[in-house]
Amino acid sequence: MEMRAIYAECLDRLMAQDKHVVLLDADLAKASGTIKLREKYYGTQIFDCGVAEQNMASIAAGLSSYGFKPWIESFTPFASRRICDQIAISIAYAKQNVKIVGTDPGISAELNGGTHMSMEDIGVLRSIPELVIFEPVDGVQLRAAMPVLNDYPGAVYVRLFRKELPDVFPADYKFDLFKADVLKEGRDLSIFVSGMLTKDVLDAAETLEKDGVSCDVINIHTIKPIDREAVLASAKKTGAVLTVENHNVIGGLHSAVLEALAKEKIPVCAVGVMDRFGEVGKLPYLREAIGLTKENIIRTAKEAVTLK
Amino acid sequence: MKQNLKKIALDIRCDVLTCIGHLGVGHIGGCLSVVELLTVLYFEAMRIDPKDPKMAGRDRFICSKGHAGPAVYATLANRGYFDKKELLTLNRGGTNLPSHCDMNRTVGIDMTTGSLGQGFSCAVGVALGSKLEQDCATIYTLIGDGESQEGQIWEAAMFAASKQLDNLIAFTDYNKLQIDGTVEEVNGIAPLDEKWRAFGWNVIDVEDGNDIDEVSAAVEHAKLGKGSGRPTMVILNTKKGCGVKWIEDLGAGNHNTNLSAEQAEAAIRELRGEA
């Protein structure tokens, strides 16, 4: 099942339960998978703002001030850098309860190419005080997270991969918005990963194990506030760290982990977007071009261990 | 003649001068230009209760030109939301009265504003919320003429008309000045009335936006827009720095300017006819 279908199914449930849950769109309901919800909710709980994301963000803040629980959605670049000031002032500074969903993060924008391929959204938003940043890794986690996000009384940015992702978590997964999830335990290296690359990291860890490198694999689903305890505990245990993300290594997960480990003498290597823009292409091409491959994860993991 | 409202407007104007003079600097021009509007809204038009500032279904005022905060605070204090003495804390460290409106700090403030253009969209969101709740509230909002250069204003204008938010009454403080010069020199917005009409709004033009009777009549007129299916824009032709000759004469220079306590006192004496 596609992530957007799960997202829409969860929103449907939340809107059916509470008429104060509302969804605002900026002409991308089809892409976000929420167009079908309009049959039930358009004009009462769903509104299309047209191609005007800034207005959408501030309208959501106004609705929140009136007691509503607004969700807004667009492609990642238009749900972050385009509306950065509206997120900062109308939403975060004003302490409004708005959930901001950015779809197609990083290279997953594929054929829309560089203009739609946000390598910087986490970096742009992470420096806005009090904003929570969440990136789900699979449908199980997203399903568990949606009601928690809806109930969280503050602003959250949700970085949502739209298409299908392989399941990483078991059906009985227990979700905590502020706790990282240990997916695999090891001795030699800590790999912190967010979003769509999590399954690749698990596959890489299997190969690494055979090559004699035993890895902790930890999913950082909430990049801000990062679970410092989990990061510190694992990094101190293994003594070497690798971060893996579909985002610029400047400003995203790599930076967040480095900040958590600033006082530790532990090497930290990165697999991510090496400060470059995106380009058009399908995922297999883009993974190779940008360096987000299982092979690169394995190579960089081994390098991290040698730096101990 | 609304003698009582005129006296209140005089008190508010004097309080704005006192609190900015006490600090020594502030957004005097754009505060003094909107005193008559704030007086009419808070003392005549709005369904509000200072003893119950969060009353459900109350009318709301969102000051999108957030730098007019001191004028709103002086109005709220005169209306009984908080003690007038608090006005002297304006913009001091730890105050509840920051230069720009903050709903999380100040009793009676309905929305945080200051980044121009955004408060207007927020007001549109509030108007939509009120429609959904069917609570019959009227949502008032004030934008600046310089602020009208923000693209977000026109995004919100389009949306409000498209969603038929006739519970929304907006005002433009059309004092024709902004920080760098006259609005027409910097980036012209005229003809403002035709723009708003073209965006699907009812438009009311007020020749003297610093005349209590004219403003009061315009607000009454604007309220009739409920049921029209259109939001209403009231264009207030105002004078930036209105009421104090030398401040008015600063022109664009009065946007954010120094004002000593002595100058404020002298201006107040002049206003009260004690000079």
Side-chain angles (χ1 to χ4, degrees), chain A residues 19-20 22 24 42-45 47-68 82 84-96, chain B residues 57-58 60 98 100-105 110-133 135 137 139 151-152 155-157 159 163:
Chain A
K19 72 180 174 72
H20 286 101
V22 294
L24 302 182
Y42 199 71
T44 54
Q45 284 169 265
F47 303 90
D48 203 324
C49 299
V51 190
E53 297 83 4
Q54 298 161 133
N55 188 41
M56 171 172 73
S58 296
I59 282 179
L63 282 163
S64 162
S65 81
Y66 222 76
F68 289 83
R82 173 116 205 175
C84 183
D85 191 37
Q86 284 76 13
I87 294 176
I89 300 304
S90 291
I91 297 175
Y93 181 66
K95 299 191 186 302
Q96 296 306 328
Chain B
R58 69 187 181 280
R60 300 200 187 202
H100 298 78
C101 298
D102 187 334
M103 64 185 288
N104 295 305
R105 282 196 175 267
D110 285 325
M111 180 54 69
T112 296
T113 56
S115 184
L116 294 179
Q118 294 188 31
F120 188 60
S121 284
C122 292
V124 170
V126 168
L128 176 61
S130 171
K131 281 270 183 189
L132 294 174
E133 295 288 17
D135 59 12
I139 310 307
Q152 188 170 356
E155 290 184 4
F159 180 93
K163 308 298 177 197

Side-chain angles (χ1 to χ4, degrees), chain A residues 22-53:
Chain A
V22 294
L23 173 67
L24 302 182
D25 211 294
D27 200 34
L28 282 176
K30 286 177 191 160
S32 306
T34 56
I35 192 83
K36 281 207 175 120
L37 299 180
R38 292 188 175 192
E39 290 162 20
K40 278 164 81 175
Y41 304 107
Y42 199 71
T44 54
Q45 284 169 265
I46 294 183
F47 303 90
D48 203 324
C49 299
V51 190
E53 297 83 4

Side-chain angles (χ1 to χ4, degrees), chain B residues 62-191:
Chain B
I62 290 149
C63 189
S64 189
K65 48 169 281 184
H67 53 283
V72 184
Y73 308 149
T75 307
L76 290 171
N78 275 278
R79 188 71 172 80
Y81 280 82
F82 47 81
D83 198 300
K84 270 196 181 192
K85 279 185 210 141
E86 206 174 327
L87 292 174
L88 297 180
T89 71
L90 177 74
N91 257 343
R92 310 260 169 187
T95 185
N96 286 322
L97 306 178
S99 60
H100 298 78
C101 298
D102 187 334
M103 64 185 288
N104 295 305
R105 282 196 175 267
T106 314
V107 177
I109 293 291
D110 285 325
M111 180 54 69
T112 296
T113 56
S115 184
L116 294 179
Q118 294 188 31
F120 188 60
S121 284
C122 292
V124 170
V126 168
L128 176 61
S130 171
K131 281 270 183 189
L132 294 174
E133 295 288 17
Q134 299 178 324
D135 59 12
C136 300
T138 303
I139 310 307
Y140 299 92
T141 185
L142 168 66
I143 63 174
D145 47 8
E147 184 180 10
S148 304
Q149 292 159 348
E150 290 280 5
Q152 188 170 356
I153 292 290
W154 304 99
E155 290 184 4
M158 222 181 291
F159 180 93
S162 164
K163 308 298 177 197
Q164 304 183 357
L165 300 179
D166 58 8
N167 57 342
L168 179 65
I169 299 177
F171 302 88
T172 301
D173 176 19
Y174 201 11
N175 58 47
K176 317 203 180 43
L177 293 170
Q178 60 187 109
I179 299 175
D180 282 354
T182 69
V183 174
E184 285 315 300
E185 279 167 3
V186 173
N187 187 12
I189 60 172

